[in-house]
Amino acid sequence: MNSSKFLVPTNGKFRLKDHSPAFTDGYKNKAHAETQLSKNIDRLSNLQERLYAQNTYGVLIILQAMDTAGKDGVIEHVMSGVNPQGVDVFSFKAPTTYELDHDFMWRSLRVLPERGKMGIFNRSYYEEVIVTKVHPEILEAERIPTIAKGAHLWNERYEDINNIERYLVRNGIIVLKFFLHLSRAEQKGRLLERIETPEKNYKMSVADITERAHWKAYMTAYEEMLRNTSTEWAPWHVIPADHKWFTRISVSDTIIQKLESLKLTFPTLDKQGIRNLRTAKRILEKD
């Protein structure tokens, strides 16, 4: 699959309505996609091992979406074959009082992946230009200076995010950003399933219904965010999410294509290192 078809252009001209959440790109059914996903899991496992061994790049994967879009499922299935020691997952919910005493990027920056590892943000600092836009009263809790407030705040946050991501990429932290594009009708079905399936009841929250009432406002906020923060160094990928199986195969394809472009290799030993290995071998053989 060519993941470029899901790229958000960097010219600021993007509309969510032009992209179908039900698109499956020629995959006939779930079984068809899962066969390919199984192969991708093996490929990703090998690439992650090379990433760790080379210890040059870190990979930051950002997942943003409305509730029930499948972020948890992407993490569980796409990363199922990767060595757990090589991946860290962080979920960002409502900030604590301690976190509110810092700048809006602080809690995310302090858990960035190190070289050789992959980090996954289940939601991220992008909540600060999405949720806070839909619910501007949240900004009051952040206690930012009066001079920083106003209509210019959003453009400045977009600019700050873009600059930070440019800095990360320049320093070897690859930033892969995915917006899981779910339709309102599909979300309704998934929320009803959570209510009607006892073992899924724990996932249901009254807040899910409350936030659903702001659907149009969220779509506007997401669209503006995608237009303003899809850059050459850290573009957004809008992944159709009405079919979970297609979401997973699409995300895995994109991650694999990016990792393969890095030409990751296992380190090679210099002459002294090879001599040391030969010495170690002779010692072991005599043991």
Side-chain angles (χ1 to χ4, degrees):
M1 181 190 302
N2 184 357
S3 62
S4 63
K5 66 183 64 179
F6 301 126
L7 279 174
V8 175
T10 59
N11 58 10
K13 298 178 181 180
F14 173 80
R15 300 186 302 176
L16 278 173
K17 69 178 183 179
D18 293 336
H19 300 265
S20 170
F23 180 66
T24 58
D25 196 27
Y27 279 91
K28 300 176 182 178
N29 49 44
K30 180 178 180 180
H32 184 196
E34 287 188 339
T35 297
Q36 183 59 46
L37 179 60
S38 179
K39 296 177 182 178
N40 279 5
I41 289 171
D42 289 339
R43 292 169 66 192
L44 187 55
S45 176
N46 180 269
L47 286 164
Q48 187 270 331
E49 186 178 3
R50 292 170 183 265
L51 177 77
Y52 179 82
Q54 183 171 305
N55 199 34
T56 300
Y57 297 100
V59 178
L60 173 61
I61 298 170
I62 294 175
L63 300 175
Q64 289 287 159
M66 294 293 285
D67 292 325
T68 77
K71 299 187 302 300
D72 291 343
V74 165
I75 297 170
E76 177 185 356
H77 291 272
V78 173
M79 296 295 165
S80 61
V82 172
N83 186 333
Q85 296 182 95
V87 182
D88 292 316
V89 180
F90 298 94
S91 296
F92 295 95
K93 299 182 180 180
T96 64
T97 301
Y98 181 64
E99 289 170 338
L100 287 170
D101 282 335
H102 296 79
D103 63 272
F104 80 90
M105 292 288 292
W106 177 81
R107 65 175 182 165
S108 299
L109 295 180
R110 63 194 292 267
V111 292
L112 287 170
E114 59 196 80
R115 299 187 193 283
K117 296 189 70 172
M118 303 173 74
I120 302 175
F121 285 2
N122 186 341
R123 300 191 190 279
S124 67
Y125 44 84
Y126 280 100
E127 294 291 286
E128 292 291 340
V129 290
I130 299 170
V131 178
T132 50
K133 218 171 189 183
V134 177
H135 299 287
E137 65 274 12
I138 294 175
L139 286 174
E140 296 304 316
E142 297 185 0
R143 298 187 292 278
I144 58 177
T146 302
I147 194 173
K149 298 179 181 179
H152 56 86
L153 180 144
W154 306 115
N155 285 335
E156 289 177 353
R157 285 197 169 183
Y158 295 143
E159 182 181 3
D160 290 339
I161 289 172
N162 290 341
N163 286 336
I164 288 172
E165 290 179 348
R166 184 198 289 266
Y167 165 80
L168 293 177
V169 172
R170 283 174 171 171
N171 283 273
I173 306 300
I174 307 302
V175 183
L176 290 172
K177 304 185 298 193
F178 299 95
F179 171 61
L180 309 189
H181 186 23
L182 182 72
S183 69
R184 194 167 191 269
E186 179 62 21
Q187 189 198 53
K188 176 182 178 180
R190 293 182 186 182
L191 288 172
L192 286 172
E193 183 182 11
R194 287 183 177 182
I195 295 172
E196 296 165 356
T197 308
E199 57 268 30
K200 293 186 178 181
N201 287 172
Y202 76 96
K203 294 184 177 182
M204 191 64 192
S205 168
V206 175
D208 295 337
I209 304 302
T210 303
E211 292 305 287
R212 179 175 165 79
H214 299 284
W215 185 273
K216 288 185 178 180
Y218 271 110
M219 291 302 102
T220 297
Y222 269 115
E223 190 168 81
E224 291 175 352
M225 177 272 287
L226 292 166
R227 286 174 180 169
N228 285 280
T229 60
S230 190
T231 59
E232 292 181 7
W233 53 91
W236 276 100
H237 299 80
V238 174
I239 306 296
D242 275 9
H243 300 284
K244 294 179 181 179
W245 45 268
F246 183 72
T247 304
R248 295 162 187 168
I249 188 65
S250 300
V251 170
S252 67
D253 275 340
T254 304
I255 296 173
I256 287 170
Q257 288 174 28
K258 184 60 182 180
L259 290 180
E260 288 181 339
S261 75
L262 300 177
K263 307 298 182 183
L264 301 169
T265 59
F266 290 107
T268 56
L269 298 178
D270 57 18
K271 292 182 179 180
Q272 183 58 51
I274 293 174
R275 284 195 291 268
N276 291 341
L277 282 183
R278 290 172 177 168
T279 299
K281 181 179 179 181
R282 287 196 297 270
I283 293 172
L284 286 171
E285 289 175 339
K286 294 178 179 178
D287 190 348

